[in-house]
Amino acid sequence: MGWIALQDLVGLVEHTIYTSSLSGPLNAVAPEVITNYEFTKALGRRLRRPTILPAPGPLLRLAFGELADAALLANSAASARKAIASGYSFLFPEIDEALQFEVP
């Protein structure tokens, strides 16, 4: 699952504006690759709430149809390699750090 902290998104946009050597598409994702399950667990830890029931795929498919597979259950292969190679340094490369800052 691709994710990025708001501060890194803004920083990455600014980096692309001022880095003339960059061209073509650039994924706005953090370097840490996580699953939806890992994100949910991290958010639950930050909010101090239990996260014991994962969202079942068949139920999501029933509720959202094809959108469930395309947007909610699909594997995202986005990578931050190009951003890192161009010299961008992420402020929040890991989900726990990002949530600590983003979620008071």
Side-chain angles (χ1 to χ4, degrees), residues 53-102:
L53 295 174
L59 182 61
L60 290 174
R61 285 184 190 95
L62 181 64
F64 297 104
E66 291 179 18
L67 177 64
D69 284 316
L72 302 174
L73 300 172
N75 183 8
S76 168
S79 167
R81 281 187 298 242
K82 187 173 179 180
I84 294 169
S86 71
Y88 183 72
S89 178
F90 285 85
L91 298 171
F92 302 103
E94 297 179 359
I95 191 66
D96 287 321
E97 296 171 343
L99 289 175
Q100 185 174 5
F101 186 81
E102 299 280 346

Side-chain angles (χ1 to χ4, degrees), residues 34-76:
I34 62 172
T35 64
N36 189 329
Y37 178 79
E38 292 167 328
F39 176 80
T40 302
K41 285 293 191 184
L43 185 58
R45 281 192 304 272
R46 183 66 192 144
L47 295 174
R48 295 180 186 90
R49 301 279 189 268
T51 54
I52 55 175
L53 295 174
L59 182 61
L60 290 174
R61 285 184 190 95
L62 181 64
F64 297 104
E66 291 179 18
L67 177 64
D69 284 316
L72 302 174
L73 300 172
N75 183 8
S76 168

